[in-house]
Structures are given as C-alpha cells and as structure tokens.
Amino acid sequence: MTLASVLGQPRAIDSLQAALRSGAVHHAYLFAGPEGVGKERAAVGLAQALTCPEQPDVGCGTCASCTRVARGLHPDVTWVMPDDERVSRGLAGRSDFTGTPSRDLRVEQIRQLQERLALRGLESRRKVAILVSAQAMNVQAQNAFLKTLEEPPADTTLVLVASAMDKLLPTIRSRCSKVHFGPLPVELVAERVRTERKLDADTAQLAAIMAGGSLGRALSLDVEALARRKDVVTAFENLRGDNAVGLLRFADEHGGSREDAEATLELLALWTRDVALAKAGREDSLANRDLRQLAVDVGARLSDAWLHRRHALLDGARAAVARNGAPRLQLERMLIDLFTETSR
C-alpha cells in the first residue's frame, strides 16, 4: 500500500512523490475528493514514505514500519476519526460509548491529538497524523485544530482526508497544501469490481457507473439492490400527482434510512440522465442498458424543461439528505414538488 499503488490518480500521486524527492514536504495536506477514490490509501502511502527506514521518502511497503503504518499500529502515525467510523471499521464497539457514537470529530479528540504530537517521535524521523473524514470536525474542533496548523510541531506532517472540503473553515483550507482526487475512470472501477467480486461484465459496469467513479462504493454496492433497480425505476415512473397515497408509499419504502434514501436518489438521478440520453438519441451511452425501451418511452413524453426540473429536484433532495435532513421527509417533498405540477 505505497503511494505507487494508488490507481487512477496520477496528478495527485505525482505531486506528492515530487515533494518527497525534493524534500519539500508540506506540514499540512488536504486530500480532497469523493469517497472511495484513493485518498486514504494515499495518506497511508505518504505516511509510509515519511517513516520508512528501508526506502526513505519512497516507502517500501513491506518492512515492519510500513506494515504497521498500513495496519494503523505505528507509534508515530496517529489516526483520528469520528467514533461512528471507528465502530463501522471494527476498531471499537458500540458498548464502548455512552449513547450513540458521535458522527463528529470532537474538540476532545483534537486536544488529545495535540498532546500526542507534542511528544517526541518513538521510532521515526517524522511524525504523521491522519484525520479521516476531516470535514466531520465540528466548529469547536476546527477552531482548536487551527492552533496546530498555525504553530505546527516540528517534524510533523498533518494529512486531512475530506470528501466535502467546503465544510472546513476557509482558514483551515488556506493553511493546507491541497491535493485533489477525482472520480476514478469507470473502466478501471468496473474491471476491479469484476475481478474482486466475480461479477459479469455488464453488472460490474453498472456498479462502476452507479458508484460515480468511487471504487470503495462500487465494491460495497449490494448486487441484489442493483437487480432491484428496475422495480424502483418502474415504480417511480408510475407515480402520479393525483395519487398522494402512492407518493407517500414510495417515500416510506425508500426513505427508511439515510443510506436507503441516498441510494434511491442516486439511482433516480442516474436514471434521469439515461432518459435525457435516450431523448437525445444516444441510447448506446445508457447506464441501465436493460431499461433502454423504458428510457426511450419516458423521454418521448417528457420535455427538456421537465427533465431539467426533475434533475434539479433530485439534486436538491440529495443535498438535503447529505446535510442530515430527514430522509423520508426529503423524499416526500421532492416527489410532491415533482408530481403535483399541473403540466408536464
């Protein structure tokens, strides 16, 4: 898991390797981009390069030091992440917390990090701190972290891994060297999904497209859910504004949790793209190829303006759910706004 093993991000990795070769490693980096595109793997690779005794400034990936970095056990590499992330990774149990594990990075965690960084490194010439889901720092935590950025400890590199850079204070963003990670090529994701999950080529391609260039998401997608997408799309296209019960039932079935709502909204956004492509005569570019005829039929009866409105409402609902809006309520609002228009 060295920097060289990070796939599909040549610009990001080249910039980091150049900094290592020149000895111009910044005291703080902000790795920004979608989930599951290699940001955390790159953070591990950078930490290996900065602590590896065998290949300094490169990282061999195989020595005891590099292995411990990859496993999160190196004494000079500190990991900080929200409590619920620790639970989801099996690093802690729910019984370890009083109440629900926090989804925030809390000020107490930042202060503990500051105390640890103030200590001398035990093994390596440089200490590294990796903040996973850095955008989850609450305001108090961000303000506390600013002190570390303004007065960084000697021989320390901070790596903030963030999927929503705009949630960080401008003063934090401005004090970090930004490394941007983009969506991975669909072909790369599809091939990895096909080989690692033993899927057929069409299913792997669909998983890659629906994951939006995120290998992590593509590998974790529920294959049964992919198979059920036809039922979801068909039910959505059968909704009508004069059947409020149907609208509410759809929201209830697909808004039971934030994850369910996000998956449904992403599917419908992808489906709306397919309809627009079919309407433009580009049927060979559809993601849901097995729904080609339905896409053509829907495109024939909907205007460009209506498709644009549908896309905007879906985007708005996705953003609201991402901001912790009640998932079922956001689905209801979106459906009511979309299907109670008097003209289509």
Side-chain angles (χ1 to χ4, degrees), residues 221-259:
L221 277 175
D222 184 349
V223 176
E224 292 185 4
L226 286 178
R228 291 195 300 269
R229 76 194 189 286
K230 184 174 182 179
D231 295 335
V232 177
V233 168
T234 302
F236 176 73
E237 291 299 348
N238 286 332
L239 294 174
R240 293 293 179 267
D242 58 1
N243 182 5
V245 173
L247 300 180
L248 297 177
R249 182 182 299 117
F250 186 94
D252 186 59
E253 290 177 355
H254 301 288
S257 68
R258 186 166 65 93
E259 292 74 16

Short mmCIF file of all heavy atoms in Angstrom, two decimals, residues 221-259:
data_model
loop_
_atom_site.label_atom_id
_atom_site.label_comp_id
_atom_site.label_asym_id
_atom_site.label_seq_id
_atom_site.Cartn_x
_atom_site.Cartn_y
_atom_site.Cartn_z
N LEU A 221 -21.37 -2.02 -3.12
CA LEU A 221 -22.75 -1.98 -3.60
C LEU A 221 -23.41 -3.34 -3.46
O LEU A 221 -22.81 -4.38 -3.73
CB LEU A 221 -22.79 -1.53 -5.06
CG LEU A 221 -22.75 -0.02 -5.33
CD1 LEU A 221 -22.69 0.23 -6.84
CD2 LEU A 221 -23.96 0.68 -4.73
N ASP A 222 -24.65 -3.31 -3.05
CA ASP A 222 -25.44 -4.52 -2.90
C ASP A 222 -25.89 -4.99 -4.28
O ASP A 222 -26.64 -4.31 -4.97
CB ASP A 222 -26.66 -4.20 -2.02
CG ASP A 222 -27.50 -5.42 -1.73
OD1 ASP A 222 -27.28 -6.48 -2.36
OD2 ASP A 222 -28.41 -5.33 -0.89
N VAL A 223 -25.40 -6.16 -4.70
CA VAL A 223 -25.74 -6.68 -6.03
C VAL A 223 -27.23 -6.93 -6.14
O VAL A 223 -27.83 -6.72 -7.19
CB VAL A 223 -24.94 -7.96 -6.33
CG1 VAL A 223 -25.36 -8.56 -7.67
CG2 VAL A 223 -23.44 -7.67 -6.34
N GLU A 224 -27.85 -7.37 -5.04
CA GLU A 224 -29.30 -7.59 -5.07
C GLU A 224 -30.03 -6.26 -5.28
O GLU A 224 -31.05 -6.20 -5.97
CB GLU A 224 -29.75 -8.25 -3.78
CG GLU A 224 -29.26 -9.69 -3.61
CD GLU A 224 -29.82 -10.34 -2.37
OE1 GLU A 224 -30.65 -9.69 -1.69
OE2 GLU A 224 -29.45 -11.49 -2.09
N ALA A 225 -29.48 -5.19 -4.71
CA ALA A 225 -30.09 -3.87 -4.91
C ALA A 225 -29.95 -3.44 -6.37
O ALA A 225 -30.86 -2.81 -6.92
CB ALA A 225 -29.42 -2.84 -4.00
N LEU A 226 -28.84 -3.80 -6.99
CA LEU A 226 -28.68 -3.50 -8.41
C LEU A 226 -29.75 -4.22 -9.22
O LEU A 226 -30.31 -3.67 -10.16
CB LEU A 226 -27.29 -3.94 -8.90
CG LEU A 226 -26.10 -3.08 -8.48
CD1 LEU A 226 -24.80 -3.70 -8.99
CD2 LEU A 226 -26.24 -1.66 -9.00
N ALA A 227 -30.03 -5.45 -8.82
CA ALA A 227 -31.05 -6.22 -9.53
C ALA A 227 -32.44 -5.64 -9.32
O ALA A 227 -33.31 -5.75 -10.18
CB ALA A 227 -31.00 -7.68 -9.08
N ARG A 228 -32.65 -5.00 -8.14
CA ARG A 228 -33.97 -4.44 -7.83
C ARG A 228 -34.19 -3.06 -8.43
O ARG A 228 -35.28 -2.50 -8.32
CB ARG A 228 -34.15 -4.35 -6.31
CG ARG A 228 -34.27 -5.69 -5.61
CD ARG A 228 -34.81 -5.51 -4.19
NE ARG A 228 -33.94 -4.66 -3.39
CZ ARG A 228 -32.95 -5.11 -2.63
NH1 ARG A 228 -32.68 -6.40 -2.61
NH2 ARG A 228 -32.22 -4.27 -1.91
N ARG A 229 -33.15 -2.48 -9.05
CA ARG A 229 -33.27 -1.10 -9.54
C ARG A 229 -34.39 -0.95 -10.56
O ARG A 229 -35.03 0.10 -10.64
CB ARG A 229 -31.93 -0.63 -10.12
CG ARG A 229 -31.63 -1.19 -11.49
CD ARG A 229 -30.21 -1.01 -11.92
NE ARG A 229 -30.04 -1.37 -13.31
CZ ARG A 229 -30.05 -2.62 -13.77
NH1 ARG A 229 -30.22 -3.62 -12.93
NH2 ARG A 229 -29.92 -2.86 -15.05
N LYS A 230 -34.64 -2.02 -11.36
CA LYS A 230 -35.70 -1.96 -12.36
C LYS A 230 -37.05 -1.73 -11.70
O LYS A 230 -37.86 -0.94 -12.20
CB LYS A 230 -35.72 -3.24 -13.19
CG LYS A 230 -36.73 -3.22 -14.33
CD LYS A 230 -36.60 -4.46 -15.20
CE LYS A 230 -37.58 -4.41 -16.35
NZ LYS A 230 -37.46 -5.61 -17.23
N ASP A 231 -37.28 -2.40 -10.56
CA ASP A 231 -38.54 -2.22 -9.85
C ASP A 231 -38.66 -0.79 -9.31
O ASP A 231 -39.75 -0.20 -9.35
CB ASP A 231 -38.64 -3.22 -8.69
CG ASP A 231 -38.70 -4.67 -9.17
OD1 ASP A 231 -39.15 -4.88 -10.32
OD2 ASP A 231 -38.30 -5.56 -8.41
N VAL A 232 -37.55 -0.24 -8.81
CA VAL A 232 -37.58 1.13 -8.27
C VAL A 232 -37.87 2.13 -9.38
O VAL A 232 -38.72 3.02 -9.23
CB VAL A 232 -36.24 1.46 -7.59
CG1 VAL A 232 -36.24 2.91 -7.10
CG2 VAL A 232 -35.98 0.52 -6.41
N VAL A 233 -37.19 1.98 -10.50
CA VAL A 233 -37.38 2.91 -11.62
C VAL A 233 -38.80 2.81 -12.17
O VAL A 233 -39.46 3.83 -12.42
CB VAL A 233 -36.35 2.63 -12.74
CG1 VAL A 233 -36.71 3.38 -14.01
CG2 VAL A 233 -34.95 3.03 -12.27
N THR A 234 -39.29 1.61 -12.33
CA THR A 234 -40.65 1.41 -12.85
C THR A 234 -41.68 2.01 -11.91
O THR A 234 -42.63 2.69 -12.34
CB THR A 234 -40.93 -0.09 -13.07
OG1 THR A 234 -39.94 -0.63 -13.97
CG2 THR A 234 -42.31 -0.29 -13.66
N ALA A 235 -41.51 1.77 -10.61
CA ALA A 235 -42.45 2.34 -9.62
C ALA A 235 -42.40 3.86 -9.66
O ALA A 235 -43.44 4.53 -9.57
CB ALA A 235 -42.11 1.82 -8.23
N PHE A 236 -41.23 4.43 -9.81
CA PHE A 236 -41.07 5.89 -9.87
C PHE A 236 -41.80 6.45 -11.08
O PHE A 236 -42.51 7.46 -10.98
CB PHE A 236 -39.59 6.23 -9.92
CG PHE A 236 -39.30 7.70 -10.08
CD1 PHE A 236 -39.50 8.59 -9.03
CD2 PHE A 236 -38.83 8.19 -11.29
CE1 PHE A 236 -39.22 9.94 -9.18
CE2 PHE A 236 -38.55 9.54 -11.45
CZ PHE A 236 -38.75 10.42 -10.39
N GLU A 237 -41.64 5.82 -12.23
CA GLU A 237 -42.28 6.33 -13.46
C GLU A 237 -43.79 6.14 -13.45
O GLU A 237 -44.50 6.79 -14.22
CB GLU A 237 -41.67 5.66 -14.69
CG GLU A 237 -40.23 6.06 -14.97
CD GLU A 237 -40.07 7.56 -15.24
OE1 GLU A 237 -41.08 8.26 -15.43
OE2 GLU A 237 -38.93 8.04 -15.24
N ASN A 238 -44.28 5.27 -12.58
CA ASN A 238 -45.73 5.06 -12.48
C ASN A 238 -46.40 6.00 -11.47
O ASN A 238 -47.63 5.99 -11.34
CB ASN A 238 -46.02 3.61 -12.09
CG ASN A 238 -45.81 2.65 -13.25
OD1 ASN A 238 -45.94 3.03 -14.41
ND2 ASN A 238 -45.45 1.41 -12.94
N LEU A 239 -45.60 6.80 -10.77
CA LEU A 239 -46.18 7.75 -9.81
C LEU A 239 -46.94 8.85 -10.53
O LEU A 239 -46.56 9.27 -11.62
CB LEU A 239 -45.07 8.36 -8.94
CG LEU A 239 -44.33 7.40 -8.00
CD1 LEU A 239 -43.17 8.12 -7.32
CD2 LEU A 239 -45.29 6.83 -6.94
N ARG A 240 -48.01 9.32 -9.89
CA ARG A 240 -48.83 10.40 -10.47
C ARG A 240 -49.21 11.40 -9.37
O ARG A 240 -49.40 11.02 -8.21
CB ARG A 240 -50.10 9.83 -11.11
CG ARG A 240 -49.84 8.98 -12.35
CD ARG A 240 -49.29 9.84 -13.49
NE ARG A 240 -48.99 9.04 -14.68
CZ ARG A 240 -47.81 8.51 -14.95
NH1 ARG A 240 -46.80 8.67 -14.09
NH2 ARG A 240 -47.62 7.81 -16.05
N GLY A 241 -49.34 12.64 -9.76
CA GLY A 241 -49.65 13.69 -8.80
C GLY A 241 -51.02 13.55 -8.17
O GLY A 241 -51.24 14.07 -7.06
N ASP A 242 -51.95 12.88 -8.86
CA ASP A 242 -53.30 12.75 -8.30
C ASP A 242 -53.42 11.53 -7.38
O ASP A 242 -54.50 11.19 -6.94
CB ASP A 242 -54.33 12.67 -9.42
CG ASP A 242 -54.06 11.51 -10.38
OD1 ASP A 242 -53.07 10.76 -10.16
OD2 ASP A 242 -54.82 11.36 -11.35
N ASN A 243 -52.30 10.88 -7.09
CA ASN A 243 -52.31 9.73 -6.19
C ASN A 243 -51.32 10.00 -5.06
O ASN A 243 -50.19 9.51 -5.06
CB ASN A 243 -51.93 8.46 -6.95
CG ASN A 243 -51.97 7.22 -6.06
OD1 ASN A 243 -52.38 7.29 -4.90
ND2 ASN A 243 -51.53 6.09 -6.60
N ALA A 244 -51.76 10.82 -4.09
CA ALA A 244 -50.89 11.19 -2.98
C ALA A 244 -50.46 9.97 -2.17
O ALA A 244 -49.34 9.91 -1.66
CB ALA A 244 -51.58 12.21 -2.09
N VAL A 245 -51.35 8.99 -2.05
CA VAL A 245 -51.02 7.79 -1.29
C VAL A 245 -49.83 7.08 -1.93
O VAL A 245 -48.92 6.60 -1.24
CB VAL A 245 -52.24 6.84 -1.22
CG1 VAL A 245 -51.83 5.51 -0.58
CG2 VAL A 245 -53.36 7.49 -0.41
N GLY A 246 -49.80 7.03 -3.24
CA GLY A 246 -48.69 6.39 -3.95
C GLY A 246 -47.38 7.11 -3.72
O GLY A 246 -46.33 6.48 -3.54
N LEU A 247 -47.42 8.45 -3.71
CA LEU A 247 -46.22 9.24 -3.47
C LEU A 247 -45.67 8.97 -2.07
O LEU A 247 -44.47 8.76 -1.88
CB LEU A 247 -46.50 10.73 -3.64
CG LEU A 247 -47.00 11.19 -5.02
CD1 LEU A 247 -47.23 12.71 -5.00
CD2 LEU A 247 -46.00 10.83 -6.10
N LEU A 248 -46.57 8.98 -1.08
CA LEU A 248 -46.15 8.77 0.30
C LEU A 248 -45.65 7.34 0.52
O LEU A 248 -44.71 7.12 1.29
CB LEU A 248 -47.31 9.07 1.25
CG LEU A 248 -47.80 10.53 1.25
CD1 LEU A 248 -48.99 10.69 2.18
CD2 LEU A 248 -46.68 11.48 1.66
N ARG A 249 -46.28 6.39 -0.16
CA ARG A 249 -45.85 5.00 -0.02
C ARG A 249 -44.44 4.82 -0.59
O ARG A 249 -43.60 4.13 0.01
CB ARG A 249 -46.82 4.06 -0.74
CG ARG A 249 -46.44 2.59 -0.57
CD ARG A 249 -47.38 1.67 -1.33
NE ARG A 249 -48.74 1.79 -0.84
CZ ARG A 249 -49.76 2.22 -1.59
NH1 ARG A 249 -49.57 2.56 -2.85
NH2 ARG A 249 -50.97 2.29 -1.07
N PHE A 250 -44.17 5.44 -1.74
CA PHE A 250 -42.84 5.35 -2.33
C PHE A 250 -41.80 5.95 -1.38
O PHE A 250 -40.72 5.36 -1.16
CB PHE A 250 -42.80 6.09 -3.67
CG PHE A 250 -41.51 5.93 -4.43
CD1 PHE A 250 -41.38 4.94 -5.40
CD2 PHE A 250 -40.43 6.77 -4.20
CE1 PHE A 250 -40.18 4.79 -6.10
CE2 PHE A 250 -39.24 6.64 -4.89
CZ PHE A 250 -39.12 5.64 -5.85
N ALA A 251 -42.09 7.11 -0.80
CA ALA A 251 -41.16 7.75 0.14
C ALA A 251 -40.95 6.89 1.37
O ALA A 251 -39.83 6.79 1.90
CB ALA A 251 -41.69 9.13 0.54
N ASP A 252 -42.01 6.23 1.83
CA ASP A 252 -41.91 5.38 3.01
C ASP A 252 -41.06 4.15 2.73
O ASP A 252 -40.23 3.75 3.56
CB ASP A 252 -43.31 4.97 3.46
CG ASP A 252 -43.29 4.20 4.78
OD1 ASP A 252 -42.80 4.78 5.77
OD2 ASP A 252 -43.75 3.05 4.81
N GLU A 253 -41.21 3.57 1.55
CA GLU A 253 -40.47 2.35 1.19
C GLU A 253 -38.99 2.62 0.98
O GLU A 253 -38.15 1.76 1.26
CB GLU A 253 -41.07 1.73 -0.07
CG GLU A 253 -42.45 1.12 0.14
CD GLU A 253 -43.04 0.58 -1.15
OE1 GLU A 253 -42.41 0.77 -2.23
OE2 GLU A 253 -44.13 -0.02 -1.10
N HIS A 254 -38.66 3.83 0.48
CA HIS A 254 -37.27 4.09 0.09
C HIS A 254 -36.59 5.15 0.94
O HIS A 254 -35.45 5.52 0.66
CB HIS A 254 -37.22 4.50 -1.38
CG HIS A 254 -37.78 3.47 -2.30
ND1 HIS A 254 -37.13 2.28 -2.58
CD2 HIS A 254 -38.96 3.41 -2.98
CE1 HIS A 254 -37.87 1.56 -3.40
NE2 HIS A 254 -38.99 2.21 -3.66
N GLY A 255 -37.27 5.62 1.98
CA GLY A 255 -36.68 6.63 2.85
C GLY A 255 -36.57 6.19 4.29
O GLY A 255 -36.51 7.03 5.20
N GLY A 256 -36.52 4.90 4.51
CA GLY A 256 -36.45 4.39 5.87
C GLY A 256 -35.16 4.73 6.59
O GLY A 256 -35.11 4.77 7.81
N SER A 257 -34.09 4.97 5.83
CA SER A 257 -32.80 5.35 6.42
C SER A 257 -32.10 6.30 5.45
O SER A 257 -32.47 6.42 4.28
CB SER A 257 -31.91 4.12 6.64
OG SER A 257 -31.51 3.57 5.39
N ARG A 258 -31.08 6.98 5.96
CA ARG A 258 -30.33 7.90 5.12
C ARG A 258 -29.66 7.14 3.96
O ARG A 258 -29.64 7.61 2.83
CB ARG A 258 -29.26 8.63 5.95
CG ARG A 258 -28.51 9.71 5.18
CD ARG A 258 -27.73 10.59 6.15
NE ARG A 258 -26.68 9.85 6.83
CZ ARG A 258 -25.42 9.78 6.39
NH1 ARG A 258 -25.07 10.40 5.29
NH2 ARG A 258 -24.52 9.11 7.07
N GLU A 259 -29.14 5.95 4.26
CA GLU A 259 -28.47 5.16 3.23
C GLU A 259 -29.44 4.75 2.12
O GLU A 259 -29.12 4.83 0.93
CB GLU A 259 -27.82 3.92 3.84
CG GLU A 259 -26.64 4.21 4.76
CD GLU A 259 -27.05 4.78 6.12
OE1 GLU A 259 -28.26 4.65 6.47
OE2 GLU A 259 -26.20 5.35 6.80
#
